[in-house]
Amino acid sequence: MRRWISIIVLSIALVFTAFWGYRQFNDKELLIVQAENNYQRAFHDLTYHIDLLYDKIGTTLALNSKDTLSPQMIEIWTLSSQAQSDVSQLPLGLLPFTKTETFLADIGEFTYHVAIRDLDNEPLNDEEIDRLSSLYESANEIRKELRSVQHKVFSDGLKWVEVEMALAKNDRETPNHIIDGFTAVEDYTSGFDESHFDNLSADLPSQQDRFRYVDGDPITEKEVKELIMKQFDLTADLDIELQKSGDGAQLPTYSGGFTHEDERGYIEVTESGGHVLSYMINRDLGKAKISLHDAEKEAEKVLKQEGFEDVRRLKSSQYDETGLFQFAVTNDDVWIYPDRITVKVALDNGDIIGFNATDYYRNHHDREIKQPKLSFEEAKQFVSPSLNIEDQHLAIIEDKAGNEILTYAFFGTLNHDTYQIFIDADTGKEIFVELMHDVESKWG
């Protein structure tokens, strides 16, 4: 009898283990598929935007009317920004790609400054036309290389998650058409004559200057694993997958992953100083039980734990069972919008399931904040009288060209909507207007 009971118990345990293993495997496969879909979308968007960029620059060279030249330059600037956004969504952090990112930023910077000036009094000169011609040729080379990679992706069924794994393992021996293609693009843009952009603003931080305030002694893999165990309260026997960024990465980091009970965790830590850039916890979420207000308190707690004391909440949004909060650090009561941090909270129990301080570490630097020329009341006169102003504060934001500007941020209501308006604190110029959302609408 005992033998049969033991057999039954073992059988149940075997079935349970098989089910648990299948579920873990299935969850992992779903995450991989989701990541691959996001990578593929970003890559094909990048190829499309570079195609359009090439066409628009060519059209600009053929224009002879000042009235149509300025809007065309704005379109090129917009496309270069979209291309930069596409690149940032690809797993290229482990691959040297800073020259191409800088090249795209330079295109946007050049075209934006041309678009906003008075072309009647200051038309394009011969040197600037030569610059456009060089940009046109360069965009064509990049376009052809990306099209070649895209053809290989389609014909051979190449996967971006395999690129990510190859880069993380620093495997450059195994042929990979995606890595080879992007390396070719980087090699080409590395040879581009940077003197074309000598007259652009020198105050803007280049891509290579980013993260310059990430400090501290280099940490070892053992120290990273200890940090991860402490961060998530894990036991020492838990297996932690750890990968180090490859040579030439913009910021040397460690990427860690682990599975604990029904959760899958990911974290990125800087090699210098062991700063936590971001982490994410994937698990099934239950029905929302806590309010956004209570969730915000939980987000503030984790910010203090990570060493961020002087922060103010910029935005709060609810997406089904999660609350998403964006914070900015402050300096003498001035809100520094580029130095922002995002926290994601599960609304079923208040757990922190997402944290991202990459923007903070990328943009943070010592700033000399000057006194504004306009008072609050003077700046308020430049806000639409249709809005009922509820709150205001001084803020540093970035304009479309990436320049930091001291502004007054006004929060105003109109009907049932809330708007955020940024007014230049020196000139009264309206820099930016945004409609605020608290809860994501559900459609269908």
Side-chain angles (χ1 to χ4, degrees):
M1 184 67 179
R2 290 182 178 178
R3 181 186 175 192
W4 282 107
I5 292 175
S6 298
I7 292 175
I8 292 172
V9 171
L10 288 173
S11 299
I12 293 174
L14 182 62
V15 170
F16 176 79
T17 303
F19 173 77
W20 180 86
Y22 170 77
R23 182 177 177 181
Q24 293 294 311
F25 173 80
N26 193 47
D27 287 346
K28 185 175 181 181
E29 288 297 303
L30 287 174
L31 290 173
I32 292 175
V33 170
Q34 183 179 9
E36 179 64 29
N37 289 340
N38 289 334
Y39 291 152
Q40 291 286 355
R41 175 192 53 74
F43 169 63
H44 296 303
D45 283 349
L46 172 64
T47 305
Y48 172 69
H49 288 140
I50 294 295
D51 264 352
L52 287 182
L53 193 66
Y54 168 73
D55 292 341
K56 291 295 181 183
I57 296 175
T59 303
T60 301
L61 288 168
L63 289 175
N64 192 37
S65 170
K66 300 180 182 67
D67 293 335
T68 53
L69 181 59
S70 184
Q72 196 80 1
M73 287 291 190
I74 287 292
E75 286 193 50
I76 295 173
W77 167 78
T78 302
L79 287 170
S80 67
S81 297
Q82 290 173 329
Q84 290 178 74
S85 176
D86 298 333
V87 170
S88 70
Q89 297 175 59
L90 293 173
L92 299 176
L94 306 177
L95 180 70
F97 208 62
T98 54
K99 289 291 184 181
T100 304
E101 291 178 285
T102 302
F103 173 74
L104 290 171
D106 287 341
I107 293 177
E109 180 73 5
F110 168 64
T111 53
Y112 178 80
H113 279 282
V114 171
I116 63 175
R117 82 185 190 209
D118 187 349
L119 292 172
D120 287 322
N121 296 323
E122 195 180 353
L124 282 176
N125 56 41
D126 291 340
E127 182 184 355
E128 289 172 328
I129 292 174
D130 288 341
R131 292 182 195 176
L132 274 177
S133 298
S134 296
L135 290 175
Y136 183 60
E137 295 173 5
S138 300
N140 187 37
E141 293 299 321
I142 295 173
R143 178 183 69 92
K144 289 191 293 186
E145 192 62 54
L146 289 178
R147 280 296 182 190
S148 175
V149 175
Q150 188 180 52
H151 173 73
K152 285 291 185 181
V153 168
F154 282 134
S155 62
D156 298 349
L158 302 180
K159 296 185 181 298
W160 275 93
V161 290
E162 294 174 359
V163 173
E164 189 174 27
M165 288 186 287
L167 290 172
K169 295 176 181 178
N170 203 21
D171 179 10
R172 304 298 172 89
E173 301 297 327
T174 305
N176 188 296
H177 291 297
I178 294 179
I179 294 178
D180 293 344
F182 275 80
T183 301
V185 171
E186 179 73 356
D187 289 342
Y188 177 79
T189 52
S190 295
F192 187 76
D193 184 3
E194 294 182 1
S195 64
H196 282 292
F197 304 102
D198 283 345
N199 295 328
L200 298 179
S201 172
D203 295 330
L204 288 176
S206 68
Q207 292 295 328
Q208 290 84 352
D209 290 334
R210 300 291 193 177
F211 299 106
R212 63 185 182 274
Y213 274 73
V214 174
D215 56 2
D217 296 329
I219 60 175
T220 65
E221 290 192 7
K222 180 182 178 182
E223 290 172 322
V224 175
K225 289 187 177 181
E226 291 173 351
L227 183 153
I228 294 173
M229 287 188 290
K230 181 179 179 181
Q231 182 81 36
F232 300 105
D233 194 23
L234 305 174
T235 57
D237 60 338
L238 190 70
D239 182 37
I240 297 176
E241 305 162 9
L242 202 62
Q243 298 169 345
K244 187 177 180 180
S245 57
D247 295 335
Q250 195 177 106
L251 177 68
T253 61
Y254 288 96
S255 298
F258 62 89
T259 300
H260 177 59
E261 296 178 350
D262 61 344
E263 298 180 346
R264 176 68 180 171
Y266 303 89
I267 186 171
E268 188 174 19
V269 181
T270 65
E271 182 181 4
S272 297
H275 303 285
V276 177
L277 286 179
S278 63
Y279 63 78
M280 176 177 63
I281 300 294
N282 284 309
R283 66 168 174 84
D284 292 333
L285 298 176
K287 186 177 179 180
K289 296 180 181 179
I290 67 174
S291 66
L292 267 185
H293 175 75
D294 291 337
E296 183 179 337
K297 296 300 180 185
E298 296 300 321
E300 290 172 348
K301 288 180 184 177
V302 77
L303 288 177
K304 288 184 178 180
Q305 291 171 6
E306 296 296 337
F308 299 102
E309 295 285 346
D310 299 323
V311 296
R312 297 290 187 275
R313 192 251 298 162
L314 293 177
K315 298 178 183 178
S316 66
S317 303
Q318 181 176 341
Y319 299 86
D320 295 329
E321 294 83 22
T322 63
L324 193 65
F325 304 92
Q326 194 175 91
F327 297 86
V329 299
T330 61
N331 185 343
D332 293 332
D333 292 326
V334 178
W335 299 31
I336 314 297
Y337 279 55
D339 295 3
R340 55 185 169 265
I341 307 154
T342 302
V343 181
K344 189 176 182 181
V345 182
L347 298 181
D348 55 358
N349 62 4
D351 281 351
I352 306 300
I353 56 174
F355 172 86
N356 194 321
T358 305
D359 282 334
Y360 172 84
Y361 287 110
R362 178 188 290 117
N363 300 318
H364 179 68
H365 62 275
D366 290 335
R367 296 174 173 89
E368 181 183 355
I369 302 176
K370 300 178 180 179
Q371 288 296 318
K373 294 181 180 179
L374 301 177
S375 67
F376 270 119
E377 289 302 320
E378 289 171 331
K380 189 176 179 180
Q381 303 307 311
F382 293 93
V383 179
S384 171
S386 301
L387 291 172
N388 179 32
I389 303 301
E390 303 284 351
D391 195 12
Q392 66 275 319
H393 58 254
L394 275 170
I396 286 180
I397 67 169
E398 291 182 334
D399 65 8
K400 291 180 179 179
N403 301 298
E404 290 192 350
I405 300 176
L406 180 62
T407 67
Y408 285 110
F410 292 96
F411 292 82
T413 56
L414 178 63
N415 297 326
H416 299 292
D417 294 320
T418 301
Y419 295 86
Q420 189 173 21
I421 305 95
F422 296 94
I423 302 295
D424 190 312
D426 290 336
T427 67
K429 179 182 177 182
E430 186 179 81
I431 303 297
F432 187 65
V433 178
E434 181 182 18
L435 175 64
M436 309 294 288
H437 296 281
D438 286 332
V439 181
E440 181 73 359
S441 299
K442 294 183 180 180
W443 305 97

